């Protein structure tokens, strides 16, 4: 039996009995809406989280990384709480030391315990700093103790590029009149 499982983070809508809705890219980039936050990204990409258990094998975790073309999986304890993160980098580094035998080890041997997290209402620009300074590319999103998603540096950079393009377009329109 595989210990690998996919987990959908808790949605605010689960409490409210209503579906969350996506905003258009345009409305998310509108000046005056306030600085973009983590929730801006989650509304766009959704709340799906790929996870393994601490006792899952590294081999199972690697299969999940490949199947979903992702760079890290979250590690959840028996109660569903976040206990760690396993990145492709952890596997590669350990393989350099221990070779292929790494695939049979439990995820708990390689994972980073108690990863740094963020909240939905935090500003994206601050998350960019958090990831750059911490030298990692993944940030689990935890609201009121509940795991609700995961953002990556790629998500944040993509959003920032769209914002810059939008700002450039608006300036061009102002100049042209
Ligand atoms: P990454 O760049 O995210 O693939 O991960 C690089 C290293 O940082 C790996 O050792 C990960 O286990 C670790 N890591 C990834 N995300 C986090 C996080 N949010 N908090 C702490 N460590 C992390």
């Amino acid at each position: 039996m595989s210990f690998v499982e996919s987990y959908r983070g808790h949605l605010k809508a689960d409490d409210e009995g209503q579906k969350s809705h996506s905003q258009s890219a345009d409305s998310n980039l509108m000046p005056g809406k306030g600085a973009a936050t983590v929730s801006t990204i989650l509304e766009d990409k959704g709340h799906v989280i790929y996870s393994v258990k601490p006792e899952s094998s590294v081999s199972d975790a690697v299969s999940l990384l490949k199947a979903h073309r992702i760079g890290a999986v979250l590690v959840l304890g028996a109660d569903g709480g976040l206990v760690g993160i396993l990145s492709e980098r952890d596997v590669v580094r350990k393989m350099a030391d221990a070779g292929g035998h790494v695939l049979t080890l439990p995820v708990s041997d390689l994972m980073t315990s108690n990863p740094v997290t963020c909240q939905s209402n935090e500003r994206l620009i601050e998350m960019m700093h958090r990831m750059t300074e911490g030298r990692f590319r993944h940030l689990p999103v935890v609201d009121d103790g509940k795991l609700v998603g995961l953002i990556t540096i790629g998500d944040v950079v993509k959003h920032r590029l769209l914002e810059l393009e939008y700002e450039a377009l608006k300036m061009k329109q102002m100049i042209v009149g």
Side-chain angles (χ1 to χ4, degrees), residues 10 23 29 53 72 79 85 94 96 102 113 118 138 151:
H10 179 85
Q23 293 172 294
L29 299 172
K53 294 177 180 174
D79 61 356
I85 186 164
K94 189 81 176 176
V102 165
S113 300
C118 66
H138 300 85
I151 62 166

Side-chain angles (χ1 to χ4, degrees), residues 52 57-58 61-62 65 71-75 84-91 106-112:
V52 292
S57 69
V58 172
V62 166
L65 295 179
V73 284
L74 297 183
V75 187
I85 186 164
L86 180 81
S87 153
E88 56 198 359
R89 290 200 177 168
D90 298 315
V91 180
V107 163
S108 54
D109 281 12
L110 277 70
M111 71 182 191
T112 301

